[in-house]
Amino acid sequence: MLSLRRTVLSSALLFALQLLPSTDANSATNTLAAEPTATVVQALTQQNQDALTYANYTEVSVSHVELALAIDFKQNRLSGEATLDLAWHKPGKQLILDTRDLTITSVTALNSTVKWQSLPFTLAKADAVKGAALTIKLADEDTQKVKIKYHTSNNPSGIQWLTPEQTQGKQLPFMFSQSQAIHARSWIPLQDTPAVRQTYSATITADKAITVVMSADRKTLSSTQTQFTMPQAIPAYLIAIAAGHLKFSPLDNISGIWAEPEILDKANKEFADTPEMIKIAAKRYGDYRWGRYDLLILPPSFPFGGMENPRLSFITPTVIAGDKSLVSLIAHELAHSWSGNLVTNATWRDLWLNEGFTTYVENRIMEDLYGRDRALMEQTIGYSELLAELAELTPGDSVLHIDLGKRSPDEAFSGVPYVKGQLFLIFLEQKFGRERFDAFVKSYFNHFAFQSITTAQFREYLSLNLLNKYPNVVSEAEVDTWIEGQGLPSFLVPPNSHAFDDIDAQRQTWLDGKLSASELKTSTWTVHQWLRFINEMPRVNLDQAKLAELNKAFHFTGTGNSEIAFAWYSLALDNGYYAVLPALKQHLTHIGRMRLIVPLYQKLASTDQYDWAKSVYLKARSGYHPQTQASLDMMFADKPLEHEHSH
Ligand code: BES
Ligand code: ZN
């Protein structure tokens, strides 16, 4: 259920990118095939290193991050200190960390006489994609702890600060982080690469009316202080924080919902099946290893559908439809507890290992819980969306093991790692049979548990434990086509739900004028069937009168289901049906989830509605997340935009 979120690089950004060193860490070849059990840092060769970090992590890696931060809603700022524990792999006296827009006030290290000693540091000139390297000169080899005092900028890429008016309750401000892919560095100085795993702890201070949550075990210390502990080693992009007027409502003894009180009950009902999802996933893929699994419902400006922060998935409120029709998102974020959080992509080129496996596992959970029909409908919709997206992508970006070049992972984000990755795994499942494939996936999660791995390491494991174990079922060449090839393999058997046959037939009957919209037999249609009905409508030259007839019969404009709204407004804009504009304006100004708004802005911006779209954007902009702002700023960058602060 993804569609395109492609943006165009501004010339300023392109210019900045040319200043990057030209080392190419994106070669497709690898040399680690012989060492399947090696730990990440040992196994990473030059070619497999993360090109998006400045950290010298093959020499020294951070093993624990201890945060002591104050949340200041007056200045919209986090300030305090990060203390990093270091593990040395080679003798050295230099530590390079990632930062973006951070102000560093001091660096100290614990020396051999167990005293904190002040250290010289330099903050390099910032790069548009990677931020600024913080280089710390250590006095001693084998330094164990470094403490950095710092504060964040007024618009860090990884945090959104909301005014009380932008929340449900309108009384208290709100803030939340979104660290994936490389935005943790905008609120913590650290080694911002998924190749490095660390435990973390935090003591957070905030006003007593504010409740703070993180992706960690939570303990209230006092009315203004909360303590957090994450005892399992995780990559930096999974460190997460949110604060605001939050209340908790349990689902069972290991899961529950954090949300603003105004939406807590609705969320609790919508996501009541979460405990069952956890049981289903754990039964098939091995124990749930993170203790609790809670959901945090964010304000509507949350830029994603969901984010798999460990112990606490961050969830957009736009999936609260009232009928559980969009809960595959919960299955998805939960599935990341195995694919992503337990076994992690070592670089952002390997994102498909996270998202492809997760989309596959998500769909298996949906099948177990709601039946094969629903799961197959969701697969079929995802496949159609992928086809539409592939038509727009450059061939290079249709490769699972993508070459990011000098781009940020945000720039290259698409449905390819999700749906093509899922289709690859479904292909393997069908070839080897569920019994063998399920056993393989479970053993893969256990084998690489708490490790970060590259595509090469996955392939090695696949060859040993599936291809060679059951010979002559799938060839290395076929695997190669899936992982390194462009587009979709010629031997793919696309998913095809027959629950859509009747929908397609009725749509055609209506298009042919044989029945009016109100005469169609729609009373049993599910949300997915409605999505199919809308999504496969002609994208050009559908009469205004026909669209008006549809809307009169089915009341799509202003619908409370955000996916149907998105599908309908997309159809309307493709056919120039501008009667939707007032309702569309509501949609665009009340939701900040990029997948539901950026493609609509894109359609508007490429037509005579450009000025209208830009004026809506200028009004909505201050309510959007910095990452949403960044991608829309580029779309409307013809003349300078007027806004309070730029990102
Ligand atoms: N981890 C992703 C979100 C993400 C990916 C953020 C890459 C930044 C960089 C999350 O699990 C996700 O995939 N969310 C989707 C959910 C959908 C596919 C069910 C979303 O936000 O739409
Ligand atoms: Zn995901």
Side-chain angles (χ1 to χ4, degrees):
M1 299 276 286
L2 272 170
S3 69
L4 55 157
R5 183 173 70 78
R6 310 268 312 146
T7 52
V8 190
L9 279 177
S10 72
S11 54
L13 185 50
L14 274 173
F15 175 72
L17 294 179
Q18 282 157 9
L19 304 177
L20 277 171
S22 61
T23 46
D24 188 356
N26 295 320
S27 162
T29 56
N30 71 84
T31 53
L32 29 106
E35 193 57 77
T37 55
T39 65
V40 176
V41 169
Q42 288 165 339
L44 279 166
T45 65
Q46 197 68 17
Q47 290 160 336
N48 281 304
Q49 278 191 43
D50 184 352
L52 291 156
T53 181
Y54 289 110
N56 53 333
Y57 64 99
T58 54
E59 289 158 32
V60 53
S61 59
V62 172
S63 59
H64 182 80
V65 175
E66 187 187 336
L67 299 170
L69 295 174
I71 302 178
D72 178 352
F73 278 112
K74 288 195 187 71
Q75 296 185 80
N76 287 352
R77 173 187 277 191
L78 290 177
S79 63
E81 54 193 46
T83 307
L84 311 181
D85 288 5
L86 304 178
W88 291 90
H89 310 292
K90 292 177 193 160
K93 288 188 175 186
Q94 177 168 277
L95 174 67
I96 308 174
L97 301 173
D98 295 302
T99 74
R100 189 200 308 283
D101 300 335
L102 293 182
T103 302
I104 309 294
T105 50
S106 79
V107 178
T108 53
L110 201 57
N111 67 17
S112 45
T113 59
V114 203
K115 291 211 174 78
W116 290 99
Q117 180 186 353
S118 162
L119 290 178
F121 63 89
T122 54
L123 201 53
K125 191 169 171 292
D127 168 80
V129 172
K130 298 207 292 185
L134 172 63
T135 303
I136 298 167
K137 294 270 175 262
L138 301 163
D140 308 307
E141 272 186 4
D142 212 34
T143 297
Q144 296 298 298
K145 273 183 196 286
V146 168
K147 189 193 300 279
I148 300 139
K149 289 203 163 72
Y150 71 100
H151 65 78
T152 55
S153 77
N154 70 347
N155 204 22
S157 64
I159 290 184
Q160 185 177 12
W161 296 89
L162 299 176
T163 63
E165 296 69 42
Q166 292 170 308
T167 66
Q168 287 286 340
K170 319 267 180 227
Q171 302 300 311
L172 291 167
F174 199 102
M175 63 82 71
F176 64 88
S177 66
Q178 169 55 44
S179 297
Q180 197 182 11
I182 54 169
H183 302 286
R185 64 188 67 176
S186 76
W187 64 284
I188 310 172
L190 41 53
Q191 295 183 315
D192 197 4
T193 167
V196 172
R197 313 180 74 95
Q198 56 255 287
T199 53
Y200 85 87
S201 54
T203 305
I204 310 291
T205 309
D207 194 274
K208 66 180 189 316
I210 296 291
T211 299
V212 184
V213 293
M214 290 189 84
S215 53
D217 182 47
R218 179 178 187 279
K219 200 172 137 197
T220 304
L221 290 183
S222 73
S223 63
T224 57
Q225 283 206 318
T226 319
Q227 193 178 58
F228 298 92
T229 319
M230 168 47 75
Q232 288 130 315
I234 57 165
Y237 76 88
L238 294 177
I239 305 179
I241 188 169
H245 189 203
L246 291 170
K247 292 280 182 268
F248 181 76
S249 158
L251 290 166
D252 71 355
N253 58 334
I254 70 149
S255 64
I257 316 262
W258 287 98
E260 285 192 73
E262 292 79 6
I263 54 161
L264 192 54
D265 285 348
K266 265 180 89 175
N268 193 294
K269 288 196 183 73
E270 195 80 17
F271 305 132
D273 296 341
T274 304
E276 199 53 39
M277 289 182 177
I278 301 170
K279 288 186 192 112
I280 287 168
K283 188 166 171 224
R284 177 158 296 124
Y285 299 112
D287 289 349
Y288 179 77
R289 309 216 199 185
W290 304 92
R292 297 197 56 83
Y293 183 71
D294 295 323
L295 305 175
L296 170 69
I297 313 304
L298 279 301
S301 67
F302 186 60
F304 290 96
M307 179 62 215
E308 65 271 25
N309 299 314
R311 299 176 66 102
L312 183 65
S313 286
F314 283 25
I315 303 295
T316 173
T318 63
V319 291
I320 305 178
D323 57 5
K324 300 184 181 176
S325 57
L326 306 178
V327 298
S328 61
L329 179 90
I330 308 300
H332 180 97
E333 303 314 334
L334 170 66
H336 274 304
S337 305
W338 289 263
S339 42
N341 300 3
L342 195 58
V343 181
T344 306
N345 51 210
T347 80
W348 297 114
R349 294 194 63 192
D350 309 306
L351 179 67
W352 79 274
L353 288 176
N354 278 18
E355 299 301 345
F357 268 90
T358 294
T359 306
Y360 172 81
V361 170
E362 162 204 332
N363 196 256
R364 294 295 301 275
I365 296 171
M366 293 303 286
E367 176 177 332
D368 278 359
L369 194 51
Y370 304 107
R372 176 78 184 149
D373 280 358
R374 171 137 174 207
L376 195 54
M377 281 194 275
E378 291 187 350
Q379 275 182 34
T380 306
I381 289 175
Y383 173 70
S384 301
E385 288 180 353
L386 178 65
L387 288 186
E389 197 171 3
L390 286 174
E392 311 262 329
L393 286 173
T394 63
D397 283 357
S398 69
V399 176
L400 280 182
H401 188 215
I402 191 174
D403 184 350
L404 293 171
K406 304 271 181 273
R407 293 172 298 172
S408 100
D410 297 349
E411 199 64 45
F413 185 81
S414 82
V416 169
Y418 291 77
V419 182
K420 185 177 175 183
Q422 175 196 28
L423 292 169
F424 171 38
L425 298 172
I426 292 173
F427 166 82
L428 293 175
E429 174 203 288
Q430 289 176 347
K431 289 288 184 187
F432 291 97
R434 277 197 166 170
E435 201 178 321
R436 286 173 175 178
F437 189 67
D438 286 354
F440 166 79
V441 175
K442 184 177 181 178
S443 70
Y444 164 74
F445 291 146
N446 284 326
H447 182 78
F448 291 112
F450 299 106
Q451 292 186 47
S452 301
I453 67 164
T454 60
T455 297
Q457 284 171 288
F458 164 75
R459 278 202 68 163
E460 156 103 39
Y461 189 81
L462 176 72
S463 298
L464 282 176
N465 296 285
L466 209 55
L467 269 54
N468 300 353
K469 194 164 169 191
Y470 310 107
N472 307 317
V473 179
V474 169
S475 68
E476 293 287 346
E478 285 170 312
V479 172
D480 217 48
T481 301
W482 274 107
I483 294 180
E484 304 291 347
Q486 299 179 344
L488 291 171
S490 56
F491 50 85
L492 165 74
V493 183
N496 180 20
S497 166
H498 290 295
F500 292 153
D501 293 351
D502 171 58
I503 311 300
D504 293 344
Q506 293 210 57
R507 183 192 321 98
Q508 200 53 51
T509 307
W510 176 74
L511 285 169
D512 294 343
K514 293 182 185 139
L515 284 178
S516 70
S518 56
E519 287 168 321
L520 297 179
K521 302 260 175 310
T522 63
S523 62
T524 63
W525 288 6
T526 64
V527 166
H528 297 83
Q529 288 171 311
W530 280 109
L531 287 172
R532 173 73 175 204
F533 181 68
I534 300 169
N535 285 343
E536 306 294 318
M537 286 279 176
R539 307 320 281 192
V540 284
N541 297 335
L542 189 56
D543 272 10
Q544 304 281 307
K546 286 289 245 187
L547 286 156
E549 183 196 344
L550 278 185
N551 195 43
K552 182 149 185 266
F554 306 127
H555 310 288
F556 292 138
T557 301
T559 169
N561 186 298
S562 62
E563 291 287 342
I564 292 184
F566 174 75
W568 169 243
Y569 298 139
S570 299
L571 175 68
L573 293 182
D574 284 345
N575 289 290
Y577 179 65
Y578 296 134
V580 299
L581 291 188
L584 176 57
K585 184 174 173 179
Q586 279 283 110
H587 175 93
L588 293 172
T589 48
H590 286 87
I591 298 176
R593 181 178 174 191
M594 289 189 280
R595 197 179 78 78
L596 296 181
I597 62 168
V598 174
L600 295 172
Y601 274 118
Q602 229 150 19
K603 287 180 195 294
L604 289 160
S606 62
T607 66
D608 54 353
Q609 296 306 309
Y610 181 95
D611 289 344
W612 182 84
K614 185 163 177 172
S615 76
V616 171
Y617 175 52
L618 289 180
K619 282 203 194 74
R621 187 181 184 280
S622 67
Y624 290 149
H625 187 279
Q627 291 171 41
T628 315
Q629 293 178 350
S631 97
L632 289 171
D633 281 357
M634 287 188 219
M635 193 184 299
F636 294 109
D638 56 333
K639 6 187 170 93
L641 293 166
E642 290 159 35
H643 47 73
E644 317 90 301
H645 43 230
S646 67
H647 161 59

